């Protein structure tokens, strides 16, 4: 009985080893990567889509970050994104299926035929964007018969937030945005009653952590004044995202600040 068990176990182990050997990860195709070197144009729109140099893809859109790429089997991988199935590839032709399920048909173009604008992808730095349009607000309010000035100043920083999006060609790309610091100031009779810089991290206890990591402090507006104090509503959003958090910043007469999520 024991001998039979040993024999069966041996067959099972041998089968597992054979199976694992067949499931070994495929190696990167250096030949396919070599064929991709150069600048590629969309056959239909005649727009340059990207340039590939070494193991980096440079997008024609200056707001999209360059990314690492490789080819494994019949799939093109860009960055950490899901792969794109290659439909056809040769020296000057490259067809692949984008995230929308559409087949993108590209043709390699001669560098000498490119305009200076079309040659930019490999040389221009990534454009870092800002979402905020209004940078300063001045609101006059009255509380208990007294006149107050409420100032808001939105200051772009060099803190970068990377946002993932899908471009017009159905490719998943990374875009970079600057976060903001928002200064709140309350003045009465030329006397400063309150002044403070608000950072994204100040809202960590009120906003989901995963959301906050990918969000920027986009805006701040004065809402109202009541018995609690002066209400300033902050907006935290993810670039290219549909959702956002609104947080009420309540400044009391004593200069304390209380934060509450806006329902």
């Amino acid at each position: 009985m024991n001998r039979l068990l040993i024999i069966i176990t041996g067959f099972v182990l041998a089968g597992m080893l054979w199976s694992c050997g067949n499931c070994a990860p495929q190696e990167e195709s250096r030949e396919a990567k070599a064929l991709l070197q150069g600048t590629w144009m969309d056959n239909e729109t005649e727009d340059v889509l990207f340039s590939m140099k070494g193991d980096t893809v440079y997008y024609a859109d200056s707001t999209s970050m360059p990314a690492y790429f490789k080819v494994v089997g019949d799939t093109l991988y860009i960055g950490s994104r899901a792969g794109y199935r290659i439909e056809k590839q040769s020296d000057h032709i490259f067809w692949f299926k984008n995230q929308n399920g559409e087949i993108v048909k590209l043709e390699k173009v001669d560098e000498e035929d490119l305009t200076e604008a079309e040659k930019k992808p490999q040389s221009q730095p990534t454009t870092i964007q800002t979402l905020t349009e209004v940078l300063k607000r001045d609101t006059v309010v009255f509380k208990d018969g007294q006149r107050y000035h409420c100032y808001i100043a939105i200051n772009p920083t060099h803190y970068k937030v990377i946002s993932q999006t899908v471009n017009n060609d159905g490719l998943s790309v990374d875009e970079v945005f600057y976060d903001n610091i928002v200064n709140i100031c309350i003045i009465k009779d030329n006397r400063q009653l309150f002044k403070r810089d608000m950072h994204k991290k100040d809202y960590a206890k009120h906003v989901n952590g995963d959301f906050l990591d990918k969000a920027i402090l986009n805006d701040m507006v004065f809402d109202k004044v009541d018995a609690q104090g002066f209400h300033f509503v902050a907006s935290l959003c993810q670039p290219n995202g549909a959702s956002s958090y609104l947080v009420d910043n309540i400044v009391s007469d004593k200069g304390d600040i209380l934060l509450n999520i806006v329902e």
Side-chain angles (χ1 to χ4, degrees), residues 83-140:
Y84 305 93
R85 181 181 174 82
I86 298 172
E87 300 293 329
K88 187 175 182 179
Q89 185 179 24
S90 66
D91 287 344
H92 290 85
I93 293 176
F94 182 57
W95 296 3
F96 67 94
K97 187 173 290 187
N98 66 17
Q99 285 199 346
N100 302 325
E102 305 163 335
I103 295 180
V104 181
K105 299 180 179 181
L106 305 181
E107 180 180 346
K108 186 181 291 186
V109 294
D110 194 323
E111 297 288 336
E112 296 180 357
D113 296 333
L114 296 175
T115 65
E116 287 304 314
E118 291 171 335
K119 291 178 181 178
K120 283 185 177 180
Q122 295 183 37
S123 58
Q124 65 183 359
T126 302
T127 301
I128 302 177
Q129 305 171 78
T130 57
L131 292 182
T132 306
E133 296 180 0
V134 179
L135 299 181
K136 291 184 179 181
R137 294 188 175 94
D138 176 8
T139 305
V140 176

Side-chain angles (χ1 to χ4, degrees), residues 6-237:
I6 291 172
I7 293 173
I8 293 173
T9 303
F11 277 115
V12 171
L13 289 174
M16 291 175 62
L17 290 172
W18 179 87
S19 176
C20 290
N22 285 335
C23 294
Q26 292 179 280
E27 292 185 0
E28 179 181 356
S29 173
R30 297 186 181 277
E31 179 182 359
K33 176 173 278 190
L35 290 174
L36 284 172
Q37 300 298 304
T39 300
W40 295 89
M41 178 180 291
D42 189 303
N43 280 348
E44 295 183 2
T45 63
E46 296 188 348
D47 292 330
V48 170
L49 191 64
F50 50 59
S51 293
M52 291 187 168
K53 184 176 182 181
D55 58 6
T56 304
V57 53
Y58 300 88
Y59 296 97
D61 179 2
S62 66
T63 61
S64 300
M65 294 178 63
Y68 169 81
F69 81 92
K70 65 180 179 180
V71 178
V72 179
D74 61 356
T75 305
L76 166 68
Y77 294 93
I78 298 179
S80 59
R81 305 294 186 274
Y84 305 93
R85 181 181 174 82
I86 298 172
E87 300 293 329
K88 187 175 182 179
Q89 185 179 24
S90 66
D91 287 344
H92 290 85
I93 293 176
F94 182 57
W95 296 3
F96 67 94
K97 187 173 290 187
N98 66 17
Q99 285 199 346
N100 302 325
E102 305 163 335
I103 295 180
V104 181
K105 299 180 179 181
L106 305 181
E107 180 180 346
K108 186 181 291 186
V109 294
D110 194 323
E111 297 288 336
E112 296 180 357
D113 296 333
L114 296 175
T115 65
E116 287 304 314
E118 291 171 335
K119 291 178 181 178
K120 283 185 177 180
Q122 295 183 37
S123 58
Q124 65 183 359
T126 302
T127 301
I128 302 177
Q129 305 171 78
T130 57
L131 292 182
T132 306
E133 296 180 0
V134 179
L135 299 181
K136 291 184 179 181
R137 294 188 175 94
D138 176 8
T139 305
V140 176
V141 299
F142 289 87
K143 184 176 187 294
D144 299 328
Q146 301 294 313
R147 187 170 183 266
Y148 296 82
H149 271 274
C150 296
Y151 295 96
I152 297 171
I154 301 174
N155 303 303
T157 71
H158 290 291
Y159 302 129
K160 299 175 183 177
V161 175
I162 297 176
S163 174
Q164 299 175 0
T165 188
V166 177
N167 66 16
N168 293 333
D169 300 298
L171 290 171
S172 183
V173 297
D174 287 336
E175 295 183 331
V176 187
F177 292 80
Y178 279 136
D179 193 12
N180 299 309
I181 294 174
V182 180
N183 179 266
I184 302 172
C185 184
I186 300 174
I187 302 291
K188 177 187 176 185
D189 299 329
N190 295 321
R191 183 167 59 91
Q192 180 177 294
L193 301 181
F194 178 86
K195 185 175 183 179
R196 176 170 170 176
D197 285 336
M198 301 301 297
H199 301 74
K200 180 175 74 171
K201 63 183 181 181
D202 292 323
Y203 303 96
K205 293 182 179 180
H206 304 271
V207 177
N208 177 275
D210 291 337
F211 180 95
L212 193 63
D213 287 342
K214 301 173 184 177
I216 67 171
L217 177 53
N218 179 47
D219 203 358
M220 182 86 73
V221 295
F222 175 79
D223 182 32
K224 63 183 179 180
V225 60
D226 58 18
Q228 285 186 290
F230 301 84
H231 295 252
F232 301 84
V233 178
S235 170
L236 295 107
C237 70

